[in-house]
């Protein structure tokens, strides 16, 4: 699971930087983000210390920001900030479970994430919430509905490919559970995002 997320994210970023006219790289890359959203939800549910978990996400986001600006986007915040804010929303919703508060809070945070802007923006938060609060066929249906909304709203046709890992997670729990057992070393999982961005940024500087 972790290895698939890392490899497909690397493919996505290589395509974005070096082969911008070849969308095949980007379609493969859509596999990565739902896996990271799923991982954030699992981290929220199973971590022994939520403050330490959030602090690790913050550290990764800060370390990755300069390489992200150099390699991918000179202005926005990297995707780990999106995942961090989504994880904070999960903590808040657990502590204040009233539906009216949750809807209002998520709406305000979504507007904030799109205003900054952050990588994936409100889409990232909403996808994390789907992995937290829906299961099985409902997860697939709501993810499809989210993608259709963003297809109309932002023209994100490419995002339809992100349904592939969701289908496996929702409809093949036994297979997905077997994949989850195959984990990479924790240091590699946590360091891969800022590390690979730094390497790509240096290569980009050399060739461009």
């Amino acid at each position: 699971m972790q290895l698939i997320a890392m490899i497909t994210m690397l493919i996505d970023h290589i395509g974005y930087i070096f082969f911008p006219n070849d969308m095949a790289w980007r379609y493969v890359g859509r596999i990565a983000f739902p896996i990271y959203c799923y991982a954030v939800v699992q981290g929220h549910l199973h971590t022994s210390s939520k403050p330490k978990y959030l602090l690790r996400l913050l550290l990764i986001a800060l370390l990755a920001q300069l390489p992200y600006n150099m390699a991918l986007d000179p202005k926005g915040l990297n995707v780990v900030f999106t995942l961090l804010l989504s994880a904070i929303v999960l903590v808040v919703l657990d502590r204040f479970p009233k539906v009216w508060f949750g809807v209002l809070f998520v709406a305000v945070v979504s507007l904030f994430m799109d205003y900054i802007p952050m990588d994936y923006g409100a889409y990232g938060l909403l996808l994390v919430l789907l992995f937290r609060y829906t299961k099985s066929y409902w997860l697939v249906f709501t993810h499809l509905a989210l993608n259709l909304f963003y297809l109309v709203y932002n023209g994100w046709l490419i995002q339809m490919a992100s349904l592939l890992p969701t289908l496996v997670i929702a409809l093949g729990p036994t297979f997905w559970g077997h994949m989850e057992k195959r984990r990479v070393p924790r240091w590699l999982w946590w360091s891969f995002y800022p590390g690979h961005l730094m390497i790509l940024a240096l290569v980009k500087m050399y060739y461009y």
Side-chain angles (χ1 to χ4, degrees):
M1 185 264 294
Q2 294 170 324
L3 191 60
I4 292 172
M6 292 189 297
I7 291 174
T8 53
M9 179 174 62
L10 178 61
I11 290 171
D12 182 38
H13 291 165
I14 290 175
Y16 182 86
I17 297 170
F18 302 109
F19 307 101
N21 296 320
D22 187 351
M23 294 303 293
W25 297 76
R26 310 302 315 285
Y27 276 100
V28 172
R30 297 310 94 194
I31 293 173
F33 188 62
I35 299 176
Y36 279 99
C37 291
Y38 173 83
V40 165
V41 173
Q42 295 306 303
H44 169 76
L45 294 174
H46 301 296
T47 183
S48 58
S49 172
K50 286 185 174 60
K52 289 183 179 179
Y53 180 73
L54 295 175
L55 185 60
R56 284 196 296 269
L57 285 175
L58 176 60
L59 179 60
I60 295 170
L62 292 174
L63 289 174
Q65 187 56 39
L66 180 59
Y68 173 80
N69 292 142
M70 294 170 60
L72 300 177
D73 184 350
K75 296 181 180 180
L77 294 178
N78 71 75
V79 74
V80 184
F81 281 107
T82 303
L83 298 176
L84 169 62
L85 194 51
S86 300
I88 293 172
V89 169
L90 294 179
V91 172
V92 173
L93 295 181
D94 281 354
R95 295 187 178 183
F96 303 95
K98 291 186 179 298
V99 175
W100 67 266
F101 174 82
V103 172
L104 180 61
F105 183 65
V106 169
V108 171
V109 175
S110 296
L111 291 173
F112 172 77
M113 293 174 76
D114 279 344
Y115 178 78
I116 292 300
M118 296 180 180
D119 197 10
Y120 280 99
Y123 176 91
L125 170 60
L126 296 174
L127 189 54
V128 167
L129 293 175
L130 295 184
F131 278 109
R132 174 66 177 91
Y133 295 109
T134 62
K135 305 294 180 183
S136 189
Y137 294 98
W138 277 108
L139 174 57
V140 176
F141 175 76
T142 53
H143 189 177
L144 174 60
L146 180 65
N147 283 358
L148 288 173
F149 173 80
Y150 273 87
L151 174 61
V152 175
Y153 180 66
N154 274 346
W156 283 6
L157 177 62
I158 190 175
Q159 205 59 37
M160 285 298 179
S162 68
L163 282 167
L164 292 176
T166 300
L167 285 167
V168 178
I169 293 169
L171 305 181
T174 302
F175 176 69
W176 187 256
H178 179 71
M179 291 176 62
E180 279 193 288
K181 294 178 182 179
R182 298 179 177 273
R183 295 181 176 272
V184 300
R186 182 173 295 183
W187 65 266
L188 179 59
W189 174 244
W190 288 103
S191 66
F192 184 80
Y193 184 74
H196 92 282
L197 284 179
M198 177 57 74
I199 293 172
L200 290 177
L202 292 174
V203 173
K204 182 180 179 181
M205 289 175 60
Y206 178 79
Y207 281 101
Y208 294 99

